[in-house]
Amino acid sequence: MNKRIMTMGNAPRRSGCALLACLALLGSAQVQAQDKGREGLVEKSVEVQQNQAQLQQKIDAADDATREALRELRRVEREAQRLEAYNDELARQVDEQGKAVERRQRAVEQLANAEQRLPVLTRQLAARLERLVAADMPFLYDQRQARLASLNRMLDSGELSAADKLDRVLAAWRAELDYGREVDAWQGSLKTQGDSLEVDYLRLGRLGWYYLTPDGQQGGVWRSKEQAWQALDDEALGEVRKGLRIAREERVPAMLDLPLSVTPQQGQLQSSQQSQEDAS
């Protein structure tokens, strides 16, 4: 009986030991679970950090790509602007070249017409030159008439081309026009009342034509309106002598106080008549 009691009295100790063992095992399991949880958290944290690092790398790579794309876009825009400006310049050049071609075509057409009209134009210029000489003061008359006669013979000749004939007529025109810009002096014959007298001539362009005898005592001015010589007084004779020395470059140029051969009214009348003849 006592043994049984004793046996039964030890049972609670065993149960307590078992409980402690269970608690220990449970605690160990919890610790292991916690350790595993910590390890899992650490691994998860590492994974998250790795993911974040990878994401950051992708973001950085995307930023680099974006910046490169922006640089490329700006470069392309600059290239497009340059090409646009170049195209505009080419368009202007092409436009100017087109206008130049049109001008050349018109010139060729006009040239073809001019070739047909050239002989007529040359004849008209020669006729106008004859009218100019006829209306002008008769200085160097023989020389100028010989030039006109030579022109007429040349125009009737078939040896020269139309262009060469035009050049000859224009050269004659230039010679006549030069008379209007020259101060000239020469010696020649003066016919008066059937006699011929050697005199010194002075010409001031187409405005004044004078003569002076070798002794300097007589002289005159040509009057275009009267088509005759008019005697000069002593003061005017002195001016003619001065003008002769200027024309021969024996003294410096100076103002001359001389009567003119033509008046402004005569010059305007001749110009009006010439214009009417040209128009007709």
Side-chain angles (χ1 to χ4, degrees), residues 201-251:
Y201 285 108
L202 172 67
R203 180 177 56 82
L204 305 179
R206 281 189 163 85
L207 298 178
W209 184 28
Y210 314 91
Y211 79 88
L212 187 68
T213 57
D215 59 9
Q217 299 302 312
Q218 297 180 28
V221 56
W222 177 262
R223 290 296 189 180
S224 295
K225 185 177 181 179
E226 292 82 6
Q227 291 292 296
W229 292 100
Q230 177 182 322
L232 295 174
D233 57 23
D234 292 340
E235 184 177 354
L237 291 175
E239 291 294 304
V240 173
R241 285 192 291 268
K242 184 194 299 183
L244 288 169
R245 293 182 62 192
I246 293 173
R248 293 165 180 163
E249 298 183 352
E250 295 175 356
R251 62 167 296 168

Side-chain angles (χ1 to χ4, degrees), residues 139-159:
F139 59 87
L140 302 175
Y141 182 81
D142 294 339
Q143 176 181 335
R144 296 163 76 189
Q145 289 298 321
R147 182 187 296 121
L148 291 175
S150 176
L151 278 182
N152 289 327
R153 289 192 299 271
M154 180 268 300
L155 291 175
D156 294 335
S157 173
E159 297 178 357

Side-chain angles (χ1 to χ4, degrees), residues 43 59 66 73 81 167 177 197 200 224 256 264 271 279:
E43 291 177 356
I59 292 174
T66 301
L73 178 61
Q81 293 174 355
D167 287 340
L177 294 176
L197 178 67
D200 291 319
S224 295
L256 297 176
S271 298

Side-chain angles (χ1 to χ4, degrees), residues 5 11 26 28 47 54 98 118 120 144 196 198 234 274-275:
I5 293 172
L26 180 61
S28 176
E47 182 179 357
Q54 293 176 356
L118 191 57
V120 177
R144 296 163 76 189
S196 180
E198 290 295 320
D234 292 340
Q274 185 69 35
S275 299

Side-chain angles (χ1 to χ4, degrees), residues 62-78:
D63 289 342
D64 293 340
T66 301
R67 285 191 291 270
E68 182 63 27
L70 288 174
R71 285 195 294 268
E72 182 65 16
L73 178 61
R74 294 191 184 99
R75 186 189 67 79
V76 171
E77 288 178 347
R78 290 194 298 269

Side-chain angles (χ1 to χ4, degrees), residues 109-121 162:
E109 295 173 357
Q110 293 173 358
L111 181 60
N113 295 331
E115 288 179 352
Q116 298 175 357
R117 297 181 53 193
L118 191 57
V120 177
L121 176 62

Side-chain angles (χ1 to χ4, degrees), residues 81-127:
Q81 293 174 355
R82 187 185 68 81
L83 290 175
E84 183 178 359
Y86 181 66
N87 288 334
D88 292 340
E89 181 64 24
L90 284 181
R92 286 192 292 269
Q93 292 180 4
V94 169
D95 184 56
E96 288 298 324
Q97 290 175 356
K99 293 178 180 178
V101 170
E102 292 178 358
R103 288 194 296 269
R104 291 191 181 95
Q105 290 177 345
R106 289 194 299 268
V108 170
E109 295 173 357
Q110 293 173 358
L111 181 60
N113 295 331
E115 288 179 352
Q116 298 175 357
R117 297 181 53 193
L118 191 57
V120 177
L121 176 62
T122 304
R123 288 281 184 181
Q124 291 175 347
L125 288 175

